[in-house]
Amino acid sequence: MTIAPERIESRMANSDEPDLDELFELLEHMPVPDGYKVEIVEGTVFMTPQRDTHWQTIRRIIRAVEDRFGMDVNVLSDVRIDFPGHRNGFAPDVALLSRGARKDGLGRWRARDVEFVAEVISRGTAHNDYGPKMNAYAQAGVPVYVVADPYLRRCRVFTRPQGREYKQDCTVEYGEPVDLTGTVVGLVLETKDFPVEPGRTAKQDAEQDAPQQGEPQHEGPEREPQQAAQEEKPQEEKPREEKPRGENG
């Protein structure tokens, strides 16, 4: 669910362009449904329902971080952090802060202290997670960014931020460990127990990613081998029925 900035700005006649604080203050007085996460991405408000699969994945990632660094580690979930760009107030699914992290003068955590972010794909947020949010995380210098996708059943691991992009991108299928030991995070994230949602199968992904040039084009559904053989086999001519001798005609 999204709310266009014009809808919010129309209720703020005294401001030509409300800043993030004004937008969030207005949201506090709006009827946000229970169980929805609220973020502002490039000035547009996004309300995302938190599904069971979503939260279970977040919980497993947080548990892995706590197992590695202890219960006192500074790890957050669904907490507002302002990131570089035009009115970006995100609430990452998982955000790991550095040991020396300090809040700013307004009592909020700073993007420059974030060492690791994990986002779990929802049905309407992929364009943000792989677009403006990823660009903002890279611009903030977040060393490791992981996107968990319960529909495609794989993780994308982005490292080496430079400018507004990550220079290294690795895909790990669910069931395989996400090895972050060579990064500032320094842990192995097990994915074998990550929950999944109905979505495209691995075969469909492979078919889409396979080269299309030179491949024959098929129309309609594939035929079963037995059906195809029957259709391709020439029909045999039936023998003529002979009449008994002695009959006329």
Side-chain angles (χ1 to χ4, degrees), residues 8 15 17-19 28-30 34-35 43 46 54 99 105 136 141 145 168 175 179 187-188 194 218-219 225:
I8 293 178
S15 175
E17 186 174 358
D19 59 21
E28 292 179 358
H29 298 88
M30 294 184 68
D34 292 336
F46 288 85
H54 196 97
R99 292 185 180 274
Y145 174 41
Q168 188 165 345
D179 188 355
L187 61 79
V188 175
F194 276 18
H218 299 280
E219 295 183 1

Side-chain angles (χ1 to χ4, degrees), residues 4 12 21 34 43 59 68 79 81 87 113 123 135 140 148 157 176 184 196 202 208 212 221 225 232 235-236 243:
M12 306 186 69
D21 290 336
D34 292 336
R59 186 164 61 96
R68 171 66 177 83
V79 174
I81 301 176
R87 294 187 292 179
D113 292 327
R123 283 192 183 277
N135 295 338
V157 183
E176 299 295 326
V184 67
V196 300
Q208 178 173 330
Q212 301 296 321
E232 295 171 1
Q235 295 183 354
E236 298 180 359
K243 295 182 179 180

Side-chain angles (χ1 to χ4, degrees), residues 46-65:
F46 288 85
M47 297 184 185
T48 309
Q50 301 295 80
R51 301 168 61 91
D52 291 345
T53 300
H54 196 97
W55 167 239
Q56 290 170 10
T57 306
I58 294 172
R59 186 164 61 96
R60 282 168 170 77
I61 297 174
I62 291 177
R63 179 175 295 178
V65 173

